[in-house]
Amino acid sequence: MTVRVIVPLVYKRNLNYLPNAMKRYWLLKSEPSGFSIDDLKAEPNRTAHWDGVRNYQARNYLRDEITKGDEVFFYHSKVDPPRVVGSCVVTRAGYPDHTAFDPRDKHHDPKSDPTNPRWFMVDIKLKKIFKNPVDLATLKTTPGLEKMVLTQKGSRLSVQPVTENEWRIVHALAGEKT
DNA sequence: GCCAACGTTGGC
DNA sequence: GCCAACGTTGGC
Protein backbone atom coordinates (compact mmCIF):
# COMPACT_ATOMS: atom_id res chain seq x y z
CA MET A 1 0.00 0.00 0.00
CA THR A 2 1.22 3.44 -0.88
CA VAL A 3 0.53 6.29 1.43
CA ARG A 4 0.78 9.67 -0.17
CA VAL A 5 1.40 12.63 1.96
CA ILE A 6 1.08 15.94 0.26
CA VAL A 7 3.19 18.52 1.97
CA PRO A 8 2.94 22.12 0.83
CA LEU A 9 6.53 23.19 0.41
CA VAL A 10 6.28 26.88 -0.06
CA TYR A 11 4.08 29.42 1.58
CA LYS A 12 3.75 32.91 0.29
CA ARG A 13 3.92 34.40 3.71
CA ASN A 14 7.28 34.50 5.37
CA LEU A 15 6.02 34.65 8.89
CA ASN A 16 2.80 32.72 8.91
CA TYR A 17 3.99 29.45 7.55
CA LEU A 18 1.55 27.19 9.31
CA PRO A 19 -1.37 25.96 7.21
CA ASN A 20 -3.83 27.31 9.75
CA ALA A 21 -2.11 30.65 10.05
CA MET A 22 -4.53 33.29 11.18
CA LYS A 23 -6.24 35.05 8.37
CA ARG A 24 -5.74 38.71 7.94
CA TYR A 25 -7.92 41.61 6.98
CA TRP A 26 -7.65 44.24 4.27
CA LEU A 27 -9.45 47.12 2.67
CA LEU A 28 -9.70 47.64 -1.08
CA LYS A 29 -10.72 50.94 -2.60
CA SER A 30 -12.64 51.34 -5.81
CA GLU A 31 -14.36 54.19 -7.52
CA PRO A 32 -17.87 52.82 -8.07
CA SER A 33 -18.06 54.65 -11.40
CA GLY A 34 -15.40 52.18 -12.51
CA PHE A 35 -16.19 49.06 -10.50
CA SER A 36 -18.73 48.99 -7.70
CA ILE A 37 -19.76 46.38 -5.19
CA ASP A 38 -22.93 45.91 -7.26
CA ASP A 39 -20.72 45.15 -10.25
CA LEU A 40 -19.00 42.51 -8.14
CA LYS A 41 -22.38 41.08 -7.19
CA ALA A 42 -23.21 40.78 -10.89
CA GLU A 43 -20.05 38.84 -11.73
CA PRO A 44 -20.24 35.08 -12.23
CA ASN A 45 -19.98 33.42 -8.84
CA ARG A 46 -19.84 36.96 -7.40
CA THR A 47 -16.12 36.77 -7.98
CA ALA A 48 -13.72 39.12 -9.74
CA HIS A 49 -10.02 39.75 -10.10
CA TRP A 50 -8.76 42.95 -8.57
CA ASP A 51 -6.78 44.32 -11.50
CA GLY A 52 -5.36 47.72 -12.27
CA VAL A 53 -3.40 48.46 -9.12
CA ARG A 54 -0.31 50.43 -10.17
CA ASN A 55 1.26 51.44 -6.91
CA TYR A 56 4.23 49.59 -5.46
CA GLN A 57 3.16 49.42 -1.84
CA ALA A 58 -0.28 48.18 -2.82
CA ARG A 59 1.35 45.76 -5.27
CA ASN A 60 3.51 44.33 -2.51
CA TYR A 61 0.47 43.56 -0.42
CA LEU A 62 -1.26 41.91 -3.37
CA ARG A 63 1.81 39.92 -4.37
CA ASP A 64 3.29 38.97 -1.01
CA GLU A 65 0.80 39.30 1.80
CA ILE A 66 -2.82 38.79 0.88
CA THR A 67 -3.74 35.15 0.72
CA LYS A 68 -6.70 32.90 0.16
CA GLY A 69 -9.17 33.06 3.00
CA ASP A 70 -8.27 36.59 4.03
CA GLU A 71 -11.20 38.95 4.29
CA VAL A 72 -11.51 42.41 2.82
CA PHE A 73 -13.66 45.47 3.09
CA PHE A 74 -14.94 46.92 -0.16
CA TYR A 75 -14.67 50.71 -0.07
CA HIS A 76 -16.22 53.22 -2.44
CA SER A 77 -13.99 56.22 -3.03
CA LYS A 78 -14.67 59.41 -4.98
CA VAL A 79 -18.32 59.39 -4.01
CA ASP A 80 -20.28 61.36 -1.46
CA PRO A 81 -19.90 60.13 1.14
CA PRO A 82 -16.96 57.79 0.63
CA ARG A 83 -17.82 54.63 2.54
CA VAL A 84 -17.22 51.00 3.38
CA VAL A 85 -19.97 49.19 1.51
CA GLY A 86 -19.40 45.52 2.16
CA SER A 87 -17.11 42.60 2.75
CA CYS A 88 -15.49 39.95 0.58
CA VAL A 89 -13.27 36.93 0.90
CA VAL A 90 -10.04 36.34 -1.02
CA THR A 91 -10.42 33.26 -3.22
CA ARG A 92 -7.05 33.42 -4.95
CA ALA A 93 -3.76 34.85 -3.72
CA GLY A 94 -1.55 37.14 -5.76
CA TYR A 95 -0.86 36.36 -9.42
CA PRO A 96 0.25 38.50 -12.36
CA ASP A 97 -2.11 41.23 -13.49
CA HIS A 98 -2.53 40.39 -17.15
CA THR A 99 -4.13 43.73 -17.95
CA ALA A 100 -0.64 45.24 -17.73
CA PHE A 101 0.41 43.16 -20.77
CA ASP A 102 -2.41 44.33 -23.02
CA PRO A 103 -1.55 47.44 -25.08
CA ARG A 104 -5.23 48.20 -25.53
CA ASP A 105 -5.96 48.09 -21.84
CA LYS A 106 -6.38 51.27 -19.84
CA HIS A 107 -3.86 49.94 -17.31
CA HIS A 108 -1.29 48.76 -19.84
CA ASP A 109 2.29 49.01 -18.63
CA PRO A 110 4.98 48.23 -21.21
CA LYS A 111 7.50 47.77 -18.41
CA SER A 112 5.62 44.72 -17.17
CA ASP A 113 5.96 41.57 -19.24
CA PRO A 114 4.81 38.01 -18.64
CA THR A 115 8.32 36.72 -17.94
CA ASN A 116 8.83 39.34 -15.26
CA PRO A 117 5.48 40.70 -14.19
CA ARG A 118 5.51 43.95 -12.30
CA TRP A 119 1.85 44.14 -11.24
CA PHE A 120 -0.28 41.63 -9.40
CA MET A 121 -3.87 41.01 -8.49
CA VAL A 122 -6.00 38.75 -6.31
CA ASP A 123 -9.47 37.28 -6.72
CA ILE A 124 -12.21 38.28 -4.34
CA LYS A 125 -15.69 36.94 -3.82
CA LEU A 126 -18.52 39.06 -2.48
CA LYS A 127 -19.60 38.08 0.98
CA LYS A 128 -21.95 40.81 2.14
CA ILE A 129 -23.26 44.13 0.91
CA PHE A 130 -23.86 46.18 4.05
CA LYS A 131 -27.39 47.45 4.58
CA ASN A 132 -25.85 50.35 6.45
CA PRO A 133 -22.57 51.36 4.81
CA VAL A 134 -20.09 53.09 7.09
CA ASP A 135 -18.98 56.47 5.86
CA LEU A 136 -15.51 57.88 6.25
CA ALA A 137 -16.56 60.69 8.57
CA THR A 138 -17.90 58.12 11.02
CA LEU A 139 -14.73 56.07 10.82
CA LYS A 140 -12.69 59.16 11.56
CA THR A 141 -14.53 59.88 14.79
CA THR A 142 -14.91 56.34 16.11
CA PRO A 143 -12.72 55.38 19.08
CA GLY A 144 -10.41 52.54 18.19
CA LEU A 145 -10.03 53.57 14.57
CA GLU A 146 -7.55 56.40 15.16
CA LYS A 147 -4.73 54.37 13.66
CA MET A 148 -6.68 52.79 10.83
CA VAL A 149 -4.81 53.44 7.58
CA LEU A 150 -7.95 54.82 5.96
CA THR A 151 -8.47 57.49 8.60
CA GLN A 152 -4.97 58.90 8.33
CA LYS A 153 -4.62 62.30 6.73
CA GLY A 154 -3.50 62.09 3.14
CA SER A 155 -3.92 58.33 3.10
CA ARG A 156 -4.50 57.16 -0.44
CA LEU A 157 -3.21 53.64 -0.47
CA SER A 158 -5.78 51.59 -2.39
CA VAL A 159 -4.85 48.26 -0.81
CA GLN A 160 -4.35 48.50 2.90
CA PRO A 161 -4.16 46.29 5.97
CA VAL A 162 -6.91 46.32 8.59
CA THR A 163 -6.40 45.00 12.11
CA GLU A 164 -8.70 42.39 13.57
CA ASN A 165 -10.02 44.94 16.03
CA GLU A 166 -10.70 47.47 13.27
CA TRP A 167 -12.48 44.72 11.37
CA ARG A 168 -14.76 44.13 14.35
CA ILE A 169 -15.42 47.80 15.04
CA VAL A 170 -16.39 48.58 11.45
CA HIS A 171 -18.75 45.61 11.41
CA ALA A 172 -20.33 46.87 14.62
CA LEU A 173 -20.82 50.30 13.06
CA ALA A 174 -22.49 48.68 10.08
CA GLY A 175 -24.70 46.56 12.32
CA GLU A 176 -23.19 43.44 10.78
CA LYS A 177 -21.95 40.25 12.37
CA THR A 178 -18.31 39.35 11.81
C1' DG B 1 -14.19 71.06 -10.00
C1' DC B 2 -10.60 72.35 -6.67
C1' DC B 3 -6.49 71.30 -4.65
C1' DA B 4 -3.59 69.08 -0.75
C1' DA B 5 -1.07 65.20 -0.24
C1' DC B 6 1.44 61.69 -2.34
C1' DG B 7 4.16 59.01 -5.63
C1' DT B 8 7.10 58.88 -9.74
C1' DT B 9 10.32 60.57 -13.13
C1' DG B 10 14.39 62.33 -14.82
C1' DG B 11 17.96 66.08 -15.20
C1' DC B 12 21.88 67.22 -12.93
C1' DG C 1 21.21 60.70 -4.66
C1' DC C 2 18.86 65.16 -4.60
C1' DC C 3 14.86 67.47 -5.71
C1' DA C 4 11.88 70.16 -9.07
C1' DA C 5 8.41 69.14 -12.04
C1' DC C 6 4.82 66.48 -13.13
C1' DG C 7 0.95 63.14 -12.65
C1' DT C 8 -2.53 60.94 -9.67
C1' DT C 9 -5.63 60.15 -5.82
C1' DG C 10 -9.51 61.16 -3.47
C1' DG C 11 -11.83 64.11 0.16
C1' DC C 12 -14.28 68.06 0.14
Side-chain angles (χ1 to χ4, degrees), chain A residues 68-104:
Chain A
K68 187 175 173 178
D70 284 359
E71 296 194 74
V72 306
F73 283 129
F74 198 118
Y75 178 81
H76 281 174
S77 64
K78 275 245 161 195
V79 286
D80 190 17
R83 51 200 187 269
V84 177
V85 291
S87 63
C88 310
V89 62
V90 175
T91 55
R92 184 177 174 187
Y95 62 105
D97 180 344
H98 57 76
T99 66
F101 310 143
D102 181 357
R104 292 157 306 173

Side-chain angles (χ1 to χ4, degrees), chain A residues 44-61:
Chain A
N45 206 26
R46 295 179 153 209
T47 301
H49 50 255
W50 201 260
D51 61 284
V53 172
R54 299 291 180 268
N55 166 283
Y56 288 102
Q57 192 177 350
R59 185 280 310 271
N60 292 346
Y61 286 135

Side-chain angles (χ1 to χ4, degrees), chain A residues 100-161:
Chain A
F101 310 143
D102 181 357
R104 292 157 306 173
D105 195 279
K106 182 187 171 193
H107 300 291
H108 175 238
D109 181 359
K111 291 176 189 160
S112 183
D113 78 86
T115 62
N116 187 21
R118 175 175 300 207
W119 305 114
F120 287 73
M121 59 190 184
V122 298
D123 288 353
I124 60 167
K125 177 173 184 166
L126 178 64
K127 194 170 149 197
K128 188 73 194 287
I129 295 180
F130 293 163
K131 284 204 181 71
N132 299 294
V134 186
D135 60 69
L136 180 61
T138 300
L139 297 174
K140 283 184 167 174
T141 57
T142 299
L145 300 182
E146 296 88 353
K147 293 185 176 173
M148 193 174 181
V149 178
L150 192 70
T151 63
Q152 304 309 301
K153 185 176 154 105
S155 168
R156 54 185 233 189
L157 192 59
S158 68
V159 176
Q160 50 179 259

